[in-house]
Amino acid sequence: MISSMTGYGSASRQVSLGAGVVADLQVECRAVNSRFLDLGFRLPDECRGAEPALRELVTQSLSRGKVEFRAAWRINNAAAGAAKANPHSLGAINKDRLDALYTLQERAQDAFPKAQELSIAEILRWPGVVSEPRGEEEGWIAATVEAGKAALAVLMESRQAEGKALVDVLTSITGKMRDIVKTIEPKVPQYVAQYQEKLTERLSEALAAQEQAKAGAELMERIRQEVVLYAVRIDIAEEFARLKTHLQAVDSALAGKGPVGKRLDFLMQELNREANTLSSKSVSEECTQAALELKLFIEQMREQVQNLE
């Protein structure tokens, strides 16, 4: 199925920290447009070991897009409530570290007698004073990979849903472009005849204005130039044929599976080239207006194609 490059997914897992304490781990996966596959990771230290596995998961599943994983965790509230009945589960006091901090405070107060003593909260936040349960590294890695895989699956579902919507939009636009071609192409002979009539009138007036044979050579050169210019300007059958071929290629790509963004981007360039040529060769106001409408639709498609993988 064709997918968009933008999407979001999240999933959570629990990690046992020991002593009855459980952490809730939340992993988010975000994706936006990018020409290539660009991966980023914002993981806490406990989850860093899962990065290679997450990177492999993404490279196996996606081909384009800027994809970022973010993870965060906090102590489970229910586990924290149970831990109140068992204070030791909240962490152990490092007595050596606490004694060292007490000594350091006394020395500081000797140097600064007016300094306030540390509060209980400040003491408990001091690095190394409380040894909190952190869990095993293997547990963190396993939980992060599981949550990341689930978040990636949700992201891919959202990308596919948006991709389907984009396909519907693009298919609608190609239908409108075909309608324009069907309307204008049968009228080309009429435009050619009208232009030929105008050209004949101009040449007849030029001939009537010539009174000297010397000017005959100059007149013939002018007629030759006009005819050459006329032949170039009215030859738009090839442009119509290529337009229809490119539109068919767009529909075929949209009906297929897998990454199509780069192919469609190339087809947009080809369609725009043909529309520009139609505009430059236009022999009627209606044809010019049709070329402008085609260019407008192509630009709308180009903006949507940028979102496809």
Side-chain angles (χ1 to χ4, degrees), residues 33-225:
N33 298 354
S34 178
R35 293 182 61 189
F36 309 101
L37 184 60
D38 183 10
L39 304 182
F41 298 88
R42 295 187 180 183
L43 308 177
D45 292 339
E46 295 83 1
C47 305
R48 286 291 179 188
E51 183 174 325
L54 292 176
R55 187 179 295 274
E56 184 177 357
L57 283 173
V58 177
T59 54
Q60 291 177 351
S61 304
L62 307 178
S63 61
R64 293 178 67 192
K66 183 176 182 180
V67 184
E68 182 181 71
F69 280 92
R70 296 185 181 185
W73 64 273
R74 63 181 180 179
I75 299 297
N76 183 279
N77 291 332
K84 291 180 180 179
N86 181 17
H88 296 291
S89 66
L90 297 176
I93 298 293
N94 187 327
K95 190 174 184 306
D96 292 337
R97 191 69 172 172
L98 189 62
D99 291 342
L101 181 59
Y102 179 77
T103 301
L104 182 61
Q105 178 178 250
E106 285 188 328
R107 292 178 181 176
Q109 286 182 323
D110 288 341
F112 303 96
K114 296 183 179 181
Q116 294 182 354
E117 294 183 353
L118 292 171
S119 67
I120 293 296
E122 291 171 334
I123 293 173
L124 293 177
R125 285 199 300 266
W126 196 269
V129 171
V130 179
S131 300
E132 297 179 346
R134 308 298 291 184
E136 298 294 333
E137 181 181 6
E138 292 78 6
W140 281 108
I141 293 176
T144 304
V145 172
E146 289 179 8
K149 185 176 182 180
L152 180 60
V154 176
L155 176 138
M156 292 179 64
E157 288 180 2
S158 68
R159 283 167 58 118
Q160 290 174 355
E162 184 174 342
K164 183 179 183 301
L166 289 175
V167 168
D168 292 340
V169 171
L170 293 172
T171 303
S172 173
I173 294 177
T174 58
K176 295 177 181 177
M177 293 177 66
R178 280 196 177 89
D179 290 341
I180 293 176
V181 173
K182 289 179 181 178
T183 300
I184 297 299
E185 190 174 19
K187 297 181 179 180
V188 171
Q190 177 184 346
Y191 299 148
V192 171
Q194 292 174 350
Y195 186 79
Q196 186 176 13
E197 183 178 350
K198 291 181 180 179
L199 181 59
T200 302
E201 291 177 359
R202 288 162 56 188
L203 294 178
S204 298
E205 293 174 357
L207 284 171
Q210 300 303 318
E211 298 178 358
Q212 298 179 355
K214 181 179 179 180
E218 297 178 358
L219 178 60
M220 292 304 298
E221 178 61 21
R222 179 182 173 186
I223 292 174
R224 188 189 68 81
Q225 293 176 356

